Amino acid sequence: MKLQLKAKGFDLTPSLQKFVEEKMFGLEKYVSRWDENDSILLTVEVAKTTNHHNKGDIFYAEANMNIPKHLVRVEESGEDMHAAVDTMKDKLKKELLKLKDKMTDH
């Protein structure tokens, strides 16, 4: 699995990059059946958004994973970047498990 990480609206710190990488690479076991020759690409975008009606920083995390014949996409936002990434990872894991079950049923 290859990971492509982008940041918008703020500088990606080495510690945040490491955090995201550790979280996302923990999902490798769920895609190993489709991941021949590192063919799976996981694109993660983390962003800092500003909304006039919200106080404080609002963070956004989005993941897109290309699996043969499927695109799995999840997103999450919150006041804490680490929490948003963590929840996004959980959502992605849930979607991958659903897809795995769906594909084994056939």
Side-chain angles (χ1 to χ4, degrees):
M1 180 174 90
K2 289 184 225 146
L3 175 65
Q4 188 176 52
L5 181 58
K6 292 186 263 184
K8 277 189 176 175
F10 72 103
D11 290 329
L12 185 64
T13 63
S15 65
L16 180 59
Q17 181 173 348
K18 184 174 189 259
F19 177 79
V20 172
E21 287 171 355
E22 286 173 358
K23 290 289 178 186
M24 295 302 115
F25 282 119
L27 296 170
E28 278 186 310
K29 61 186 170 220
Y30 301 106
V31 297
S32 59
R33 64 186 315 180
W34 302 294
D35 197 17
E36 293 177 21
N37 307 318
D38 267 349
S39 59
I40 302 283
L41 175 62
L42 172 59
T43 306
V44 175
E45 183 175 297
V46 289
K48 184 173 164 183
T49 61
T50 52
N51 292 335
H52 300 293
H53 56 277
N54 289 327
K55 287 186 177 179
D57 295 329
I58 301 298
F59 294 99
Y60 171 81
E62 175 186 311
N64 292 291
M65 182 180 279
N66 287 308
I67 293 175
K69 299 180 185 165
H70 297 278
L71 172 66
V72 181
R73 182 177 187 279
V74 294
E75 56 186 66
E76 183 62 35
S77 58
E79 291 182 18
D80 177 77
M81 177 56 78
H82 290 80
V85 168
D86 216 16
T87 305
M88 178 195 66
K89 182 211 59 141
D90 293 341
K91 285 182 174 181
L92 187 56
K93 175 183 168 185
K94 192 174 176 182
E95 290 301 312
L96 291 172
L97 289 171
K98 270 200 267 185
L99 184 62
K100 182 180 168 190
D101 288 346
K102 192 170 144 185
M103 293 175 92
T104 22
D105 288 347
H106 294 142

